[in-house]
Amino acid sequence: MFENKKEKSNRTNPFFENYNTPHETVPFSLIEISDYEEAFMEGIRRDDEEIEKIINDESEPTFENTIIRTDNEKGEHYYDLLNRVSNVFSCMLSAETNDELDALAQKMSPILTKHANDVKLNKKLFERIKYVYEHHRELSPEEQMLLNNCYDGFVSSGALLDEDGKEKLRKLTEEASMLSLQFSQNLLKENKAYTLDITDEKQLDGLPETAINAAAQTAKEQGKTGWVFTLDAPSYSPFMTYSTQRELRKKMYMEKNTLGIHENNENNLEICKRLINLRREIAQLLGYDTFADYVMRHRMAESTANVYKLLDELIEAYKPTALKEIEEINMLAKEKEGDNFNVEPWDFSFYSHKLQIEKYNLDSEMLRPYFELSKVISGVFGLATRLYGITFKENKDIPVYHQDVKAYEVFDKDGTYLAVLYADFFPRKGKQGGAWMTEFQGQWIDKKGVNVRPHVSLVMNLTKPTEHKPALLTLGEVETFLHEFGHALHGMFANTRFESLSGTNVWWDFVELPSQFMENFAVEKDFLRTFAFHYETKEPIPDELIERIHKSRNFLAAYGCLRQVSFGLLDMAYYTQKDVFDKDIIQFEKKAWEKAIISKQLPNTCMTTQFSHIMSGGYAAGYYSYKWAEVLDADAFSMFQKNGIFDKDTAQRFRDCILSKGGTEHPMILYTKFRGQKPTIDALLTRNGINRQTKES
C-alpha cells in the first residue's frame, strides 16, 4: 500500500506538493513510511518559522496579524503541512497500522507533544494573543469564538504558569501522550492475538449460518482448517448470542473481558493508573481540583455536579425496569435449565436472545437477509438525499488506503461539490475495533474566499461478505452505520470560516447529537421501506416483521441505559480524584459503578484496561456525553415526529442551526435556535417507555 514506483532519488515527498488527485485527496499509493517523519519534521519547522514571523512583527498585535495571518493560506496561524500529515497518520494508526507505523508513532509522539508545548508555552506569542484578547476590534461571533478558544487554549495549556510550572507541564503532557498511545497499541495487539479455533463441527451447535460461514472464511484467510472466531464484534457477538457451547462462551467472554490485565507486555493496568494520575496532576497544576473540573469548562454540563445529576436521574428512572428485565431473563433460564441454574455473564446474551424470541419472535438473524450492505448504503445515502437533497457518487479514481475502502463524491442539492466521503466497513488485522468518523481534511474558507470542502472518513467493523453471501448486517450494525453517518453529515455540511471551528469541532457533550439523532430512523417503517429488501427474493421486509421490530424496540432498553450510565460513573470516578490514585484498578472499578450494576460482576474481569474512550480516545471525564446527547437527540427527533420524519423544512433547520455551524457558537444557543426551547429528559423517557414516577418497591 505504501509502495512508490518512482526511483527513490527522483521522488518528492507527496506531502510537500499538490496531490494532483480528484479534489486533492490523499495519494495513498505514493506515500512511503519514511515520508511521514520527514513531513512531520518539516511541518514543525514551517510552524516554528510562521510563529517567529508573528512574534517578531513590530506592529501592534491585531486579530489579523496574530490570531490569523493574511499571508497564511488557511486563515489560521498554524501552517497546513503539519495538520495535513497528522490527519493522515492518525487515521492510518487506527484503520490500517502495522509494526513499522506503530514504532514511528512511538518515536514521533514525544516530538509532536514537545512542539505543541513549545507553541502553547511561547511567552512572546501568548503576550500578543493576550493583548488582542484584551484590545481587539469589534469581531463577528465566529471571530470572537476563535479568539476565545485561542486564548483559553493557551491558558489551559499552561501559558500563565511560571517557568518551573511550564517545565513540569511539559513532562506531564509528554508522558501522558506516550502512555495514551501505548494503551491503544497494547489493546489492538492483544485483541487481535486471540482466536478461538474450532475443528469439531459439533461445537458450532446453535450458531447461525452467517456466523459459521464467516468463521470458515476467517480460518481460510489465516491458513487454518475449520472455523476461527475472533474478539471483533461481528464474530464475538453472534457467538455469545447463539452458541450452545457454554464452556466456549465462557472462554470467549473471559478473553474479551480480561484484555489488558494478563501478565504480558500488553498489560494496561499500570498505564491506566498512571494516566489517571497524570491528568489529575495536569489539572491541579493549572489550578483545578480535579481533571473533571478542568474538562467541564468547555462542556454543556458545566460541572461534575450536573453530570452526576443526570446519571442519578437516569438510574432512578431506569433501574426499576432494568431489574425486571434481568429477572425475566433469570426466570427463563431457570425454566429451561432447572431451578439451580445461575445465569453467569457469558450466559446473558444467550438467554436474553431466547427471551426476545419468546416475547417478540424476533432476532437479528431474521433481519439480516433484508440488510444487505449495498442496499443499506443506498438506504442511508437515500435518507440524506430525502432530508437534505445531497447525492453520492462513487469515484474509483479517488485513491484509497485499502481495497475494502470505497470513496464517494458528495454533491449538494444544487449540484455543487460538497465533500469526499470514504467508507471503510470491515474488520482486519491492522484496524482498531469499534466504529468512528474522522477527517483527512477539514473545511475552511481560505483568504481568497474559496470554501475548501472536507474529506470525511467513516470507519466501521461490520459483518464481512463470504464466498457465498454478500455482507448481511444486523439491525444493530445498521444503527452503527447511521450513527457514524450522522457524524459524517456534521463534517460534510461544515460551513465555517475557520477549520478549528468547523464540523465536529464542538464540545464533547454536543458532538454525539448528530450521530445519535440519525439512529432514530433505523426502526422507522417509511425509512425501512426504501432499502430493506430480501437479498435473494427481492421482497420488501414484511409489515409484520417491522411491527415486531417496533414492539421489541425497548427490549432491554433500561438495562442498556444503566450499562451506559455505569461507564459514565466509572469515568467520573477516575477523573474526580483529588489525591494520588494508588488503588487496585479492578477493585476500584467494581465499586465505582456499583449503583448502576444490576447483574453479576466477576472479580477477575476488567473494563478499564480496554476502555479506549476514556484512556486514549478523548472522552476522559466525558463518557457521560453519550447519555447527555441522547437526551438531546430524543428531544430533537420529536420535532421530526411532529412535523414528519422526512420533513425538508425541519431538516433544513437542523442543517442550518446545528450541522453547518460547528463550534461557532455555544451549543445550547445552536440547539435552542433549532428547537425553540431547551431540551428535557421527557422525550427520551417516552421513547424508552419509561415512567418517571416508577419506584423500586
Side-chain angles (χ1 to χ4, degrees):
M1 115 185 187
F2 292 105
E3 294 177 358
N4 188 349
K5 296 179 181 178
K6 297 181 182 179
E7 291 295 323
K8 201 168 186 96
S9 58
N10 296 328
R11 71 186 296 274
T12 300
N13 189 316
F15 289 114
F16 293 168
E17 56 189 358
N18 290 336
Y19 287 155
N20 295 318
T21 53
H23 308 295
E24 285 292 299
T25 46
V26 180
F28 295 103
S29 63
L30 300 181
I31 298 173
E32 296 180 352
I33 297 239
S34 59
D35 292 331
Y36 287 110
E37 183 173 359
E38 183 183 27
F40 273 129
M41 300 312 295
E42 175 62 13
I44 290 172
R45 188 197 68 77
R46 294 186 191 182
D47 224 14
D48 290 340
E49 183 177 77
E50 181 70 13
I51 290 167
E52 283 298 309
K53 290 180 184 178
I54 296 173
I55 64 177
N56 291 323
D57 190 334
E58 295 182 357
S59 59
E60 179 184 13
T62 66
F63 184 80
E64 281 70 28
N65 68 21
T66 300
I67 307 304
I68 61 174
R69 300 258 316 167
T70 55
D71 60 344
N72 183 304
E73 185 66 21
K74 291 178 65 175
E76 292 183 80
H77 70 257
Y78 289 121
Y79 190 72
D80 177 66
L81 178 59
L82 192 56
N83 189 50
R84 174 188 253 198
V85 63
S86 295
N87 284 348
V88 178
F89 188 69
S90 63
C91 290
M92 292 301 95
L93 280 180
S94 297
E96 186 64 8
T97 194
N98 54 45
D99 290 343
E100 199 173 351
L101 272 181
D102 285 348
L104 180 57
Q106 292 274 1
K107 180 179 180 180
M108 292 307 304
S109 177
I111 295 172
L112 293 169
T113 305
K114 179 182 181 301
H115 173 65
N117 283 330
D118 287 345
V119 174
K120 291 295 177 71
L121 298 176
N122 186 309
K123 186 176 180 180
K124 291 182 179 179
L125 180 59
F126 178 65
E127 285 174 352
R128 290 185 66 89
I129 291 170
K130 185 173 184 289
Y131 183 88
V132 177
Y133 185 72
E134 294 172 347
H135 302 93
H136 60 80
R137 63 169 171 80
E138 185 176 349
L139 302 174
S140 70
E142 185 173 346
E143 289 173 333
Q144 185 66 59
M145 183 66 78
L146 180 67
L147 176 58
N148 292 348
N149 287 354
C150 184
Y151 176 79
D152 184 69
F154 274 74
V155 171
S156 63
S157 297
L160 296 178
L161 296 175
D162 60 23
E163 291 307 311
D164 287 343
K166 289 178 179 179
E167 186 58 31
K168 184 176 182 181
L169 185 65
R170 283 178 180 274
K171 293 178 179 178
L172 292 173
T173 54
E174 288 178 16
E175 185 181 356
S177 178
M178 281 294 296
L179 288 178
S180 179
L181 175 64
Q182 186 64 52
F183 176 95
S184 294
Q185 292 181 346
N186 286 351
L187 181 58
L188 176 62
K189 288 176 182 177
E190 190 159 46
N191 185 77
K192 298 299 182 182
Y194 177 77
T195 59
L196 175 66
D197 299 351
I198 291 178
T199 55
D200 183 357
E201 192 169 0
K202 293 179 181 177
Q203 293 185 323
L204 301 175
D205 184 55
L207 293 171
E209 182 184 357
T210 53
I212 294 172
N213 291 342
Q217 181 162 314
T218 301
K220 184 177 180 180
E221 291 170 355
Q222 295 186 4
K224 299 176 180 178
T225 58
W227 302 266
V228 170
F229 296 87
T230 72
L231 300 182
D232 292 325
S235 180
Y236 177 82
S237 295
F239 192 91
M240 298 304 294
T241 301
Y242 294 98
S243 173
T244 63
Q245 307 298 294
R246 194 182 190 206
E247 284 304 310
L248 293 183
R249 291 203 310 268
K250 177 180 179 180
K251 190 172 184 179
M252 286 284 276
Y253 179 88
M254 293 305 298
E255 289 292 338
K256 182 73 169 176
N257 288 276
T258 56
L259 292 174
I261 64 173
H262 298 129
E263 293 298 324
N264 57 26
N265 292 331
E266 284 73 53
N267 187 294
N268 274 337
L269 283 167
E270 290 304 314
I271 289 177
C272 291
K273 193 178 294 187
R274 184 60 182 148
L275 280 170
I276 293 162
N277 280 315
L278 284 169
R279 288 166 181 159
R280 175 190 53 78
E281 289 183 62
I282 289 169
Q284 291 176 345
L285 185 60
L286 293 169
Y288 298 88
D289 287 340
T290 71
F291 184 73
D293 292 324
Y294 168 73
V295 165
M296 290 300 152
R297 73 198 191 283
H298 282 164
R299 295 292 187 269
M300 293 179 74
E302 297 180 341
S303 69
T304 58
N306 286 337
V307 172
Y308 278 116
K309 181 177 180 293
L310 172 68
L311 298 178
D312 288 342
E313 188 176 11
L314 291 170
I315 290 172
E316 181 181 355
Y318 283 80
K319 193 169 186 177
T321 302
L323 289 169
K324 292 176 183 177
E325 291 172 344
I326 293 293
E327 182 58 27
E328 274 195 286
I329 293 170
N330 288 332
M331 288 175 61
L332 178 70
K334 289 182 182 298
E335 284 178 14
K336 295 185 176 297
E337 310 297 344
D339 289 342
N340 294 326
F341 185 84
N342 293 313
V343 175
E344 299 291 348
W346 47 86
D347 299 318
F348 185 82
S349 294
F350 183 76
Y351 288 102
S352 62
H353 165 251
K354 289 189 175 300
L355 180 62
Q356 185 181 25
I357 290 287
E358 189 171 287
K359 293 183 70 171
Y360 306 106
N361 189 25
L362 184 73
D363 78 350
S364 58
E365 292 303 310
M366 295 178 185
L367 301 176
R368 273 193 199 272
Y370 299 97
F371 295 148
E372 194 269 307
L373 179 57
S374 67
K375 298 298 184 185
V376 176
I377 294 171
S378 297
V380 173
F381 287 179
L383 175 60
T385 303
R386 195 162 179 180
L387 289 173
Y388 305 108
I390 62 175
T391 53
F392 302 78
K393 181 180 179 182
E394 186 176 1
N395 185 340
K396 295 185 178 180
D397 292 329
I398 294 176
V400 293
Y401 55 86
H402 188 277
Q403 62 185 14
D404 285 348
V405 181
K406 296 179 181 290
Y408 300 88
E409 293 173 298
V410 187
F411 301 95
D412 213 337
K413 57 185 175 184
D414 62 0
T416 58
Y417 163 69
L418 184 68
V420 168
L421 176 66
Y422 299 88
D424 181 355
F425 294 110
F426 307 123
R428 55 180 174 270
K429 182 179 179 181
K431 185 177 181 181
Q432 293 280 3
W436 61 93
M437 167 267 182
T438 188
E439 291 178 334
F440 290 106
Q441 174 177 290
Q443 177 271 334
W444 76 90
I445 297 175
D446 70 18
K447 65 178 182 177
K448 299 174 184 176
V450 175
N451 195 325
V452 179
R453 300 309 304 163
H455 302 163
V456 172
S457 182
L458 292 178
V459 189
M460 292 167 276
N461 283 275
L462 305 179
T463 299
K464 296 171 63 174
T466 65
E467 290 183 4
H468 306 292
K469 287 187 177 181
L472 301 175
L473 309 187
T474 65
L475 179 59
E477 288 178 317
V478 175
E479 289 173 334
T480 296
F481 192 162
L482 284 164
H483 179 103
E484 300 308 331
F485 187 70
H487 284 309
L489 289 175
H490 204 181
M492 294 189 295
F493 282 141
N495 192 30
T496 64
R497 181 179 170 190
F498 306 113
E499 185 179 10
S500 64
L501 299 178
S502 75
T504 57
N505 289 306
V506 300
W507 291 1
W508 278 107
D509 50 5
F510 191 61
V511 75
E512 296 298 335
L513 166 60
S515 55
Q516 294 183 182
F517 166 81
M518 289 298 290
E519 292 183 45
N520 287 282
F521 288 94
V523 297
E524 292 290 335
K525 180 178 179 178
D526 289 342
F527 171 57
L528 291 170
R529 278 277 176 257
T530 66
F531 73 94
F533 298 92
H534 196 284
Y535 79 103
E536 289 179 320
T537 67
K538 313 305 178 188
E539 291 293 318
I541 187 169
D543 286 345
E544 58 92 16
L545 198 50
I546 295 176
E547 182 64 25
R548 278 187 263 161
I549 292 174
H550 277 277
K551 287 181 178 179
S552 68
R553 184 183 186 188
N554 288 325
F555 180 66
L556 298 187
Y559 169 83
C561 175
L562 288 192
R563 184 172 183 271
Q564 287 290 87
V565 168
S566 72
F567 296 159
L569 289 172
L570 178 62
D571 175 35
M572 293 302 291
Y574 285 131
Y575 294 115
T576 53
Q577 294 290 311
K578 294 182 179 181
D579 301 316
V580 174
F581 181 81
D582 58 2
K583 300 177 178 65
D584 180 283
I585 285 281
I586 296 176
Q587 297 305 314
F588 181 86
E589 173 180 293
K590 309 304 182 192
K591 186 70 176 176
W593 62 20
E594 190 174 35
K595 64 180 177 180
I597 297 293
I598 56 173
S599 53
K600 183 178 181 179
Q601 294 196 72
L602 298 180
N604 56 339
T605 59
C606 189
M607 171 67 178
T608 303
T609 49
Q610 55 185 295
F611 203 170
S612 297
H613 280 77
I614 70 167
M615 290 297 161
S616 63
Y619 278 83
Y623 196 83
Y624 76 90
S625 299
Y626 285 99
K627 298 311 294 184
W628 188 276
E630 197 172 345
V631 172
L632 297 178
D633 91 66
D635 189 69
F637 194 68
S638 68
M639 279 286 287
F640 281 79
Q641 291 174 313
K642 178 182 177 182
N643 299 331
I645 64 168
F646 299 123
D647 183 68
K648 288 182 171 58
D649 291 338
T650 308
Q652 187 64 44
R653 193 159 73 252
F654 193 65
R655 174 178 177 174
D656 292 342
C657 296
I658 294 175
L659 296 178
S660 68
K661 294 297 184 183
T664 56
E665 293 185 78
H666 190 289
M668 190 58 78
I669 293 175
L670 296 177
Y671 186 81
T672 52
K673 281 183 178 179
F674 162 70
R675 185 67 173 89
Q677 63 186 43
K678 291 186 176 181
T680 70
I681 196 175
D682 296 339
L684 177 61
L685 295 176
T686 299
R687 185 172 74 186
N688 290 159
I690 300 296
N691 182 346
R692 187 194 287 269
Q693 276 70 49
T694 300
K695 301 287 184 180
E696 287 185 82
S697 57

